[in-house]
Amino acid sequence: MARLGVKTLFIEPGSPWENGYNESFNGRLRDEFLNGELFCTLREAQILVERWRRHYNEVRPHSSLGYKPPAPQAKQSNVNWVVPIVQTEAKLMAL
């Protein structure tokens, strides 16, 4: 690289616009979710974002993981901290 005059770039900590993984997620959030929704209230946005987040993390297959979801064990396990979406929606509606 030095022979070609190519230098590496430093990515500032906390600079999401310079992080390819974060950029990929932001693009998917925008393309797959935000561009197709209109929110009338903050509560509605919170509920729908939480529903999309759970789908993205627990159901949707990711090519980098061999087309498996990132957290399938969270969906399949009996861990108490995994809150069903109905309870989450009810909690958000109570805000």
Side-chain angles (χ1 to χ4, degrees), residues 41-48 50-51 85-95:
T41 66
L42 177 59
R43 286 189 193 129
E44 179 186 14
Q46 290 170 329
I47 290 167
L48 293 176
E50 176 63 13
R51 186 180 293 166
I85 230 170
V86 175
Q87 289 179 6
T88 305
E89 288 177 1
K91 186 177 180 181
L92 288 172
M93 292 302 288
L95 293 176

Side-chain angles (χ1 to χ4, degrees), residues 55-69:
H55 175 77
Y56 185 86
N57 286 328
E58 298 173 6
V59 178
R60 181 182 178 276
H62 291 248
S63 61
S64 64
L65 300 173
Y67 293 96
K68 295 177 185 170

Side-chain angles (χ1 to χ4, degrees), residues 67-78:
Y67 293 96
K68 295 177 185 170
Q73 65 278 6
K75 186 175 179 73
Q76 296 170 0
S77 70
N78 292 325

